[in-house]
Structure formats: C-alpha cells, structure tokens
Amino acid sequence: MEPKMLGFVTAFVVITAAALITQRAEAETHTVGDATGWTNIVDSDTYSSWAAKHTFKVGDTLVFQFTTGRHDVATLTKTAYDECNNTDILGVLNQGPASYSLNETGDYYFICSFTGHCSEGQKLSIKVTASPAAPPPESKTPASPPTTMAPPPSDTKTPLSPPTTTAPPPSAASSLASTFSTVFMSITIALFCLF
C-alpha cells in the first residue's frame, strides 16, 4: 500500500475511534445512595433527596450496592411504587451489587421487595431524559405516611431484561464535541501525513 493511502486509512480509523470514544464518554454511572448504598436503614426521603441531586440520561447506568440475600432491586409501575406493592413487580435484580442500564427516556421506579423495606424508605423514582439537563433545584417534599405491605413476593421473580429500544440521537452539545474532536484529529493526521 502506498504511504499516502496508508496515511488516509490510518486517519479514517483514528477519526472513527475518536468519535466513538467521545460519544461513549458522555454516559455516567450513578451509585444509588452514594456511600449509603441500597439499604433499608434510611429515612423516608434518603433516595428522593439523592435523586434530586443527579440528572439521569439515556445511556447512564445505576449501580445498586447491596448484600445478596438481604436486599434486591425490583422495578414496578408508579401505582405499585406509590403503594409499596411488592407483588406487582415487573422484574428483579437479586445479586448485589447490581447494575441497571437506563436505555430509554421516561420515569423509572425501584424498590427493595423484601417485606417492610419499601415502607422504611428503600425506594427510588427517577426521570430519564434524552440529553443532559440542568439538575432540578433542591426541595424538601414531605414524606408520605407508611403504608401496609402486601405479602412477600413468591420466589418466581422475573429477571430484569434491558429494554429493546434504541437510544435517541446524541444531543447538540455531544455532536458539537464529537465534531470538534474529529476535525482536530483530522488536521493533526493530515499534517502528520504531509511531513
């Protein structure tokens, strides 16, 4: 292969890799509860306060730190979440620590389905956006009174599976960053190939 052609092939490979790395670097990993982790030894607004300090977007990952056999992470509907209904579970992660990928926009609801844990405050609701947004202002919302728990779920919990939708196109800011990095790399490689 000619040296100039080899330079163009190398430039193409480097530019493509730089664009992919730039896009992937935008996703964040959020450890639920930070140092507290995912535990029922909290007050009723621990996780809502934690969520209010974060912005969640498509491509991010939630990490739930918990001891296997003492906690789990169940996804459920808003109604079941509001009622701490641990019998209407959509899916469950029962091996700690557990990771959950946020693959689509919308509201997500999580509880620990162990008896009493949700009513003690081990529940989390978040809103996932398509692109980064300014974090919401901190506000204190009054805690809802504890509700009675339904019987514990059966051992036939459905494992969580990732949603099958595709992520939306990158935001304008990420496209701009990707474009600048691609242009910079192209100029650098072009200069390298010329000299």
Side-chain angles (χ1 to χ4, degrees), residues 75-88:
T75 59
L76 58 172
T77 64
K78 179 175 180 6
T79 302
Y81 171 85
D82 289 341
E83 298 171 356
C84 280
N85 181 342
N86 63 356
T87 59
D88 290 333

Side-chain angles (χ1 to χ4, degrees), residues 32-33 37-40 42-51 64 72-74 76-85 108-113 116-126 143-147 149:
V32 175
W38 184 242
T39 178
N40 62 320
V42 295
D43 60 56
S44 61
D45 68 341
T46 296
Y47 295 110
S48 59
S49 296
W50 174 82
F64 294 84
D72 63 15
V73 180
L76 58 172
T77 64
K78 179 175 180 6
T79 302
Y81 171 85
D82 289 341
E83 298 171 356
C84 280
N85 181 342
Y108 288 74
Y109 303 96
F110 304 95
I111 66 166
C112 178
S113 67
H117 291 199
C118 178
S119 62
E120 293 174 3
Q122 195 174 4
K123 59 193 285 188
L124 170 70
S125 72
I126 62 169
S144 58
T147 58
M149 290 295 295

Side-chain angles (χ1 to χ4, degrees), residues 130-179:
S131 61
E138 278 192 48
S139 66
K140 290 267 184 181
T141 56
S144 58
T147 58
T148 57
M149 290 295 295
S154 68
D155 290 335
T156 59
K157 295 179 181 175
T158 308
L160 293 176
S161 60
T164 57
T165 59
T166 57
S171 67
S174 66
S175 296
L176 184 61
S178 179
T179 302

Side-chain angles (χ1 to χ4, degrees), residues 13-26 178 181-182:
V13 169
V14 170
I15 290 168
T16 303
L20 290 173
I21 289 170
T22 301
Q23 275 187 317
R24 186 66 191 149
E26 293 175 12
S178 179
S181 89
T182 303

Side-chain angles (χ1 to χ4, degrees), residues 49-62:
S49 296
W50 174 82
K53 297 175 188 172
H54 296 273
T55 301
F56 305 98
K57 59 191 178 305
V58 171
D60 286 357
T61 301
L62 297 179

